[in-house]
Amino acid sequence: MTPNLRQLWRNIVIVILALSFVSLIFSFLLEDGGARAEELTMNQVVDRVNGGAVQKITVQGNSLSIDLVGGGKATAQKEREVGLTETLVNYGVKPDALAKVALSVEDEGGWNYWLGILVPTILPIILIVILFSWMLRSARAGASQAFSFGKATIRLVAPSKDRITFKDVAGLKEAKEEMEEVVDFLKNPKKFLSMGARIPRGVLLMGHPGTGKTLLARAVAGESNVPFFHLSASEFVEMFVGVGASRVRDLFQNAKKAAPSIVFIDEIDAVGRERGTGMGGGHDEREQTLNQILVEMDGFERETNVIVMAATNRADILDSALLRPGRFDRRVVLDMPDIQDREAILKIHAKEKPLAKDVNLNQIAVRTPGFSGADLANLMNEAAILAARNGKKEIVQLDVLNSIEKVLLGPARRSRVITPHEKRVTAYHEAGHALVAASLADADPVHKVSIVSRGMAGGYTIKLPLEERRLRTKKQFLTDLAVSFGGYVAELLTFGDITTGSSNDISQATELAHRLVTQYGMNETLGPRSFGKQNDLIFLGREITSGKDYSEEVGAKIDAEVNRLIVNAVALAKKILTRQKRTLKSIAEHLIEKETIEYEEFNALMKTAKLKPMTIS
Ligand code: ADP
Ligand code: MG
Ligand code: ZN
């Protein structure tokens, strides 16, 4: 049910309740004393008069109220237009009996009389009219809400006390410089215009989720003292057809009126994905909205002092029309934070938290490669929660370290019931990963092995690179492949059987092997060629239209190459673990006993095993 319909129903129920309440009240009012006053027919009245049981009759219009001898009361109705005495006589009352009864006639036009007539008839009408007009009004308000979507959710950011500035954004040096320029443009447009420079139209912020795109845009709003119109493109998609375009029109109209100003469209990929791919049934709303954005941006004059900013984490699927000159021609990439940035981000999010002296944010930064800014913010929050839950006054280093795994893999599930056998299998599985990693020179050092179940994983092995790397080598990839089969092979060697616990390892390894062959040219028979559109996995719509760019024969060769990589990786893992069966056992037994092995302990175990890491040839 839509909210409007629900509201209508609620109103109807209220009206019905109110009406029954009113009628209840009237039934009480009209039956005033109904319990005591008996309703008599004229015949009965006459009988009582003849019997001498009546003391007094009061006439009011056609109603008689009768005081009986001995205190009782009764009512009766006489015929219209006929006097009381006449009626009584007509019914055969005895004149001498009537003489004993006091008759009094009350004025019909009295206040009471009119009230008696008006209240029961007019009051309900008035009530109904009031209720219906109220219902109508709220229904109309609901309808106009639906029709004024165009204006409803554009947020104009007003400068507030807790405004975000560039100081709150760590790292992102180039992006911040670019944004500072934008702010400068808006503050001193003359400076740039007099040099003949064209004010940039659109700035596109691109980066992985959580790298701080929205944050940076909000910082721009905080820095520039110009109106900042903010809306999220994903909101368009859920609206009626045509509303998105009208909302865009509104937005730009307001922005132009308020110039100099900034329009920020968050998550523009929701409307800006490549058109004409037939994805999502050719979502008309999306296309119309996108077209309207383009039309508005083209309609800017040279002097128009409105800068359009947009954010996306899917620049690969954006419609090329958005990226043409004069539109989003400035593109700013927000990188995942490197080790220094991570420390800086951690510092920002540690600011309002009580940290113990032993907290070393640099060590945390070392241990969190691949974490985005959002992950790091979340990490500090989890650490604070952990400390608070343990009733501590300060956050200690261990709180932060323990939160890393929580952010990485989900909360620990110590309560999950596993049988002793499952525990053994998991222990050997993780020991297998760890031992293969420790045996290969190109593998990242093992930081932690654990069989505490987290999120979906039964256990986990954390390996961390010694240094930040942008480029990865074929040898490293082959090592990764062997390590991912370490668990599978360890189970096979130890128990002569395999479990479903390896399914995730297998699918990841297969995907990696496929990428090595089809994207990185790391294969032996096919050479340095890319196969298939790079983003066909990401965006289904394109694959449908473009199809494979290789023959069936080549497809078979790709399969063979992927297979070969996997077979070799399994063989390598098997070779290592067969040779090191004793070490595998000692790691696994350790895990069964303690559940978790930390870095130092693991290194000590490896020392006693006299392991000599080898390189893949
Ligand atoms: P995006 O829009 O790129 O997905 P957000 O801007 O919403 O990411 O970032 C989410 C949160 O992560 C921010 O609110 C902030 O707390 C934190 N964050 C991300 N990047 C940074 C950064 N560079 N400096 C400080 N905090 C950051
Ligand atoms: Mg965002
Ligand atoms: Zn595994």
Side-chain angles (χ1 to χ4, degrees):
M1 241 192 270
T2 70
N4 283 338
L5 207 59
R6 211 177 301 146
Q7 203 176 7
L8 193 68
W9 274 111
R10 206 176 50 208
N11 287 344
I12 288 174
V13 169
I14 289 176
V15 167
I16 290 173
L17 282 180
L19 284 181
S20 29
F21 181 69
V22 166
S23 65
L24 206 71
I25 286 185
F26 276 109
S27 69
F28 274 121
L29 274 179
L30 294 179
E31 275 176 29
D32 174 36
R36 285 165 291 132
E38 205 182 339
E39 174 85 39
L40 302 174
T41 63
M42 277 317 285
N43 280 328
Q44 286 170 318
V45 174
V46 168
D47 280 351
R48 303 259 168 120
V49 170
N50 285 343
V54 175
Q55 196 172 34
K56 181 181 174 192
I57 297 177
T58 311
V59 190
Q60 200 177 33
N62 296 322
S63 316
L64 312 181
S65 70
I66 301 160
D67 294 338
L68 298 174
V69 174
K73 274 186 190 292
T75 57
Q77 294 288 322
K78 74 172 176 65
E79 285 167 54
R80 257 166 232 283
E81 315 299 330
V82 188
L84 174 63
T85 327
E86 203 179 326
T87 311
L88 291 175
V89 169
N90 285 348
Y91 277 89
V93 80
K94 291 183 191 142
D96 49 335
L98 189 59
K100 287 190 205 132
V101 177
L103 290 180
S104 96
V105 178
E106 267 182 18
D107 190 3
E108 267 199 294
W111 186 81
N112 254 340
Y113 169 79
W114 284 113
L115 208 65
I117 291 177
L118 288 182
V119 167
T121 50
I122 298 201
L123 200 62
I125 293 176
I126 292 175
L127 273 174
I128 288 170
V129 167
I130 289 175
L131 280 170
F132 270 94
S133 67
W134 170 67
M135 254 171 72
L136 221 74
R137 209 179 40 215
S138 56
R140 208 179 304 139
S144 68
Q145 252 163 33
F147 293 120
S148 68
F149 265 146
K151 283 171 183 163
T153 45
I154 298 166
R155 288 174 289 277
L156 183 60
V157 178
S160 64
K161 259 182 264 140
D162 47 16
R163 67 176 189 169
I164 289 170
T165 62
F166 286 142
K167 274 210 263 354
D168 299 302
V169 185
L172 304 176
K173 196 159 164 289
E174 290 84 11
K176 257 158 68 174
E177 272 165 18
E178 194 86 14
M179 290 300 121
E180 266 158 24
E181 210 176 289
V182 167
V183 172
D184 208 21
F185 268 132
L186 290 166
K187 281 186 173 162
N188 311 301
K190 287 224 182 70
K191 187 168 96 186
F192 294 91
L193 285 173
S194 65
M195 296 298 285
R198 192 169 52 85
I199 302 234
R201 276 289 147 262
V203 182
L204 185 62
L205 305 176
M206 306 186 300
H208 287 289
T211 41
K213 299 177 295 294
T214 309
L215 182 76
L216 188 61
R218 282 167 62 198
V220 171
E223 290 282 339
S224 64
N225 280 317
V226 303
F228 187 89
F229 297 87
H230 174 187
L231 89 173
S232 177
S234 56
E235 289 163 15
F236 288 131
V237 183
E238 58 204 41
M239 291 186 312
F240 309 137
V241 173
V243 177
S246 94
R247 200 205 288 192
V248 168
R249 216 172 301 128
D250 262 359
L251 172 68
F252 279 86
Q253 225 163 41
N254 287 336
K256 273 189 235 168
K257 244 184 260 162
S261 62
I262 297 174
V263 171
F264 175 53
I265 306 172
D266 208 352
E267 292 164 37
I268 194 167
D269 42 294
V271 295
R273 64 172 33 166
E274 195 162 20
R275 287 169 291 184
T277 48
M279 195 52 177
H283 201 301
D284 268 345
E285 181 55 17
R286 198 147 53 201
E287 292 201 1
Q288 287 184 16
T289 308
L290 176 59
N291 285 339
Q292 192 62 37
I293 292 175
L294 297 178
V295 166
E296 295 290 344
M297 287 182 79
D298 288 344
F300 283 166
E301 314 278 322
R302 193 178 88 100
E303 289 80 22
T304 310
N305 224 336
V306 177
I307 291 185
V308 185
M309 284 169 56
T312 180
N313 43 35
R314 303 294 308 279
D316 53 326
I317 60 160
L318 282 190
D319 197 290
S320 50
L322 272 172
L323 307 175
R324 278 222 299 271
R327 290 168 181 173
F328 290 101
D329 44 5
R330 291 209 171 199
R331 269 157 266 168
V332 180
V333 176
L334 281 73
D335 278 320
M336 288 296 263
D338 63 14
I339 190 161
Q340 276 117 24
D341 294 345
R342 287 202 298 274
E343 192 175 344
I345 295 173
L346 286 167
K347 247 182 213 140
I348 285 181
H349 291 280
K351 232 181 239 161
E352 274 149 27
K353 300 186 174 72
L355 296 189
K357 286 226 168 57
D358 77 325
V359 171
N360 178 353
L361 293 180
N362 180 266
Q363 192 194 3
I364 306 295
V366 170
R367 291 224 186 169
T368 47
F371 272 45
S372 70
D375 292 333
L376 293 167
N378 188 13
L379 171 64
M380 288 314 289
N381 190 44
E382 288 293 345
I385 290 173
L386 197 62
R389 242 187 15 204
N390 295 336
K392 282 187 260 183
K393 290 244 153 44
E394 285 177 327
I395 301 170
V396 297
Q397 182 77 347
L398 204 61
D399 294 328
V400 190
L401 285 175
N402 284 338
S403 303
I404 293 177
E405 279 126 57
K406 187 164 179 192
V407 172
L408 210 57
L409 301 160
R413 302 203 333 231
R414 287 181 193 280
S415 62
R416 198 170 87 159
V417 184
I418 56 169
T419 64
H421 179 67
E422 275 176 348
K423 195 170 173 182
R424 278 177 67 77
V425 172
T426 311
Y428 274 91
H429 180 106
E430 294 307 326
H433 283 308
L435 186 53
V436 173
S439 308
L440 291 170
D442 279 308
D444 297 331
V446 173
H447 265 250
K448 186 169 188 169
V449 195
S450 174
I451 55 168
V452 174
S453 157
R454 272 184 188 278
M456 299 302 289
Y460 55 96
T461 301
I462 295 180
K463 298 173 275 109
L464 292 177
L466 290 172
E467 65 218 357
E468 211 81 11
R469 283 184 305 226
R470 302 265 151 186
L471 296 176
R472 306 212 59 201
T473 66
K474 183 178 172 187
K475 278 185 184 173
Q476 285 166 354
F477 280 133
L478 295 182
T479 304
D480 283 353
L481 276 180
V483 172
S484 40
F485 286 113
Y488 171 87
V489 171
E491 285 185 34
L492 196 62
L493 288 180
T494 317
F495 304 99
D497 198 2
I498 34 185
T499 65
T500 49
S502 301
S503 69
N504 197 33
D505 294 335
I506 292 172
S507 76
Q508 274 180 5
T510 308
E511 203 176 298
L512 175 60
H514 198 263
R515 256 185 294 141
L516 295 191
V517 176
T518 59
Q519 287 178 31
Y520 305 148
M522 296 176 181
N523 62 68
E524 256 140 56
T525 51
L526 293 154
R529 220 201 103 174
S530 81
F531 299 96
K533 284 266 185 265
Q534 294 248 333
N535 32 22
D536 59 4
L537 277 175
I538 305 166
F539 189 48
L540 222 61
R542 268 197 190 162
E543 196 186 32
I544 293 165
T545 50
S546 65
K548 292 191 295 191
D549 62 352
Y550 49 81
S551 66
E552 292 297 323
E553 277 159 61
V554 173
K557 276 189 188 159
I558 291 174
D559 278 345
E561 274 292 307
V562 171
N563 266 347
R564 200 181 56 79
L565 283 174
I566 289 175
V567 168
N568 284 351
V570 172
L572 179 57
K574 219 172 228 168
K575 191 168 116 193
I576 292 170
L577 294 183
T578 321
R579 273 192 206 158
Q580 308 277 344
K581 256 191 167 159
R582 288 235 319 272
T583 317
L584 178 70
K585 192 172 174 208
S586 79
I587 302 172
E589 295 302 331
H590 235 80
L591 276 175
I592 292 169
E593 189 190 338
K594 299 198 175 151
E595 298 201 340
T596 298
I597 304 179
E598 296 283 353
Y599 183 66
E600 295 76 16
E601 211 176 340
F602 185 77
N603 279 351
L605 274 173
M606 291 303 105
K607 266 224 179 81
T608 49
K610 297 208 178 62
L611 210 63
K612 253 203 269 145
M614 59 180 198
T615 36
I616 293 180
S617 50

